[in-house]
Amino acid sequence: MVADVKLAIIYYSATGTVHKMAQRLQESAEKAGAEVRLRQVTELAPAEAIASNAAWSQHFDTTKDEPRATADDVVWADAVLFGTPTRYGNVTSQLKQFIDTLGPQWAQGQLANKAYAGFTASMTEHGGQESTLLALYNTIYHFGGVVVAPGYTDPLKFADGNPYGVSHVTGGSNDAPLTDVQFAALDHLARRIVQIGGKLRA
């Protein structure tokens, strides 16, 4: 266990899949000894767009009172996990907007020398999961952060098959549940980011 490592899990989730992934990461990181802040970013979509999708509307209502991410959450952390659904092979506008507000902290060097990694979900198997994570990491390079991708550092990564982070395919109906394969990959990512975050802090 790596005690006292501070981990911020900052995510956007429309219909709940990335939210569930974030919750699993929180549980795993806390078991690894980390202090965790689980924060969702602010929803930007208009009310009519949310209302047009029952799952989106339900998730919005269920999580509307949960803590929102702030710049302080990133500055506070030794390690950061960003989560987002894929949108056309890229990060959602909701998460990107939050990241774009971090200019003052970036200018002061407060985002550098931390461990970062990402997690994502898409409806289809080749729906842009890897390109979404790679696009996210372009920002981390500008931060001066350390990308802590899982690679194939554990045999279980050959089951989920994503060396860039953790991803899940929700299927055409967008409701395929997370399986033991994704849970194992999320657990590994959490342990790894806590471990490396602790080493960077030291």
Side-chain angles (χ1 to χ4, degrees), residues 15-168:
T15 58
T17 298
V18 174
H19 175 72
K20 291 172 185 169
M21 296 173 80
Q23 290 177 313
R24 179 67 177 223
L25 287 164
Q26 179 183 23
E27 294 171 9
S28 301
E30 289 176 344
K31 287 178 183 177
E35 179 183 353
V36 181
R37 289 186 185 180
L38 181 65
R39 301 287 189 267
Q40 64 174 327
V41 299
T42 301
E43 178 62 82
L44 303 177
E48 57 268 23
I50 298 171
S52 70
N53 182 316
W56 192 356
S57 181
Q58 180 180 15
H59 181 68
F60 177 80
D61 289 339
T62 301
T63 62
K64 63 184 178 182
D65 295 325
E66 292 192 1
R68 293 295 186 268
T70 68
D72 178 68
D73 295 318
V74 183
V75 173
W76 164 87
D78 302 306
V80 181
L81 289 169
F82 284 122
T84 176
T86 181
R87 291 291 185 268
Y88 310 111
N90 212 323
V91 175
T92 58
S93 58
Q94 289 88 344
L95 181 62
K96 186 62 167 61
Q97 192 274 342
F98 169 77
I99 290 172
D100 285 349
T101 68
L102 300 177
Q105 292 74 31
W106 164 80
Q108 297 175 58
Q110 294 178 317
L111 310 181
N113 305 323
K114 302 173 186 287
Y116 294 87
F119 56 104
T120 189
S122 66
M123 290 181 64
T124 56
E125 186 172 358
H126 299 289
Q129 296 177 347
E130 293 179 354
S131 64
T132 295
L133 294 172
L134 291 170
L136 171 65
Y137 296 157
N138 286 336
T139 299
I140 305 312
Y141 304 140
H142 283 254
F143 286 176
V146 179
V147 174
V148 183
Y152 294 100
T153 53
D154 188 286
L156 63 84
K157 289 302 296 179
F158 289 94
D160 87 293
N162 190 335
Y164 304 103
V166 178
S167 56
H168 175 58

Side-chain angles (χ1 to χ4, degrees), residues 1-17:
M1 289 179 55
V2 184
D4 302 324
V5 171
K6 297 172 181 170
L7 173 66
I9 302 173
I10 297 174
Y11 73 96
Y12 171 73
S13 185
T15 58
T17 298

